[in-house]
Amino acid sequence: MEVKVLSVKNPFAYLIMQGGKDIENRTWKTDYRGRLYIHVSGETLPFFTIDENPPQFLKINNEKQILQKYKNYAGKLEDYYCDLAKQYVNAGVPTGSESEDEWLNKIIDRPDLWLLKSQTIIGYVDLVDIVQDSNSPWAIEGQYHWILKNPTLLAEPIQQVKGRLNIWNYNISE
């Protein structure tokens, strides 16, 4: 079955599926409406906090520029990463972690255990409209706000899928 897919960077793909992010900001629009599968692109958004917890996934060359670009997201992202750390600890990943600090020390050099996987189709949403005046806290002024509803995680994510620009087609076996 051929489906429509949109590649989204980490952690935004997971925020759409699990964190209540109901808007995807784009500089372009489409006439397509309907089910849209969410693919986690190969790049991870550079994000950091003062104490480097969560771990810095990509080297940041210009901290001021990153802060300016993502200032609207910084608080929401920090909350999401803190919740993610708690999920790891609660799940015992890696086994035996009793605190976020202990988890961080064990997980930082083990990308095989990171929950935010790249190059994976993780679920789908309904693209119901595209506007420029959304009142969502996730909306960025001056961009198109893709309104997303009904996020559904796949029971078995489809891994090792190379992403593409724009909306693209993918054949999912039924």
Side-chain angles (χ1 to χ4, degrees), residues 14-65:
Y14 285 89
L15 284 165
I16 289 169
M17 299 310 302
Q18 298 176 294
K21 185 174 186 285
D22 58 347
I23 297 292
E24 175 59 13
N25 296 288
R26 295 287 162 152
T27 58
W28 54 279
K29 59 183 178 174
T30 179
D31 291 332
Y32 177 78
R33 300 295 183 273
R35 180 165 289 176
L36 187 60
Y37 282 73
I38 301 297
H39 170 265
V40 184
S41 67
E43 296 180 37
T44 301
L45 176 75
F47 177 78
F48 62 99
T49 59
I50 292 169
D51 62 357
E52 296 300 327
N53 181 6
Q56 179 176 313
F57 292 169
L58 291 180
K59 185 163 181 63
I60 295 168
N61 296 323
N62 185 336
E63 293 179 9
K64 189 174 183 179
Q65 182 182 10

Side-chain angles (χ1 to χ4, degrees), residues 17 55 69 129 144 150:
M17 299 310 302
K69 185 171 183 181
D129 202 2
Y144 292 103
N150 308 316

Side-chain angles (χ1 to χ4, degrees), residues 5-19 21 23-28 37-47 57-59 65-66 69-70 73 77 80-81 84 115-122 138 140 143 148 161-166 168:
V5 183
L6 182 68
S7 292
V8 180
K9 290 182 182 180
N10 268 329
F12 298 117
Y14 285 89
L15 284 165
I16 289 169
M17 299 310 302
Q18 298 176 294
K21 185 174 186 285
I23 297 292
E24 175 59 13
N25 296 288
R26 295 287 162 152
T27 58
W28 54 279
Y37 282 73
I38 301 297
H39 170 265
V40 184
S41 67
E43 296 180 37
T44 301
L45 176 75
F47 177 78
F57 292 169
L58 291 180
K59 185 163 181 63
Q65 182 182 10
I66 296 294
K69 185 171 183 181
Y70 296 108
Y73 288 158
L77 288 173
Y80 180 76
Y81 277 120
L84 182 64
L115 293 176
L116 298 179
K117 301 291 185 188
S118 296
Q119 306 238 342
T120 302
I121 297 174
I122 60 172
W138 294 101
I140 295 177
Q143 296 208 2
L148 309 174
V161 178
K162 185 173 175 150
R164 294 176 186 81
L165 296 176
N166 300 315
W168 47 280

Side-chain angles (χ1 to χ4, degrees), residues 70-110:
Y70 296 108
K71 66 183 176 184
N72 293 336
Y73 288 158
K76 296 178 193 77
L77 288 173
E78 187 166 15
D79 290 345
Y80 180 76
Y81 277 120
C82 288
D83 288 344
L84 182 64
K86 289 174 188 167
Q87 289 177 37
Y88 272 107
V89 172
N90 290 342
V93 178
T95 303
S97 295
E98 295 179 2
S99 70
E100 289 179 33
D101 287 339
E102 186 179 352
W103 163 79
L104 179 63
N105 290 331
K106 289 182 178 182
I107 199 84
I108 196 165
D109 294 322
R110 293 287 309 275

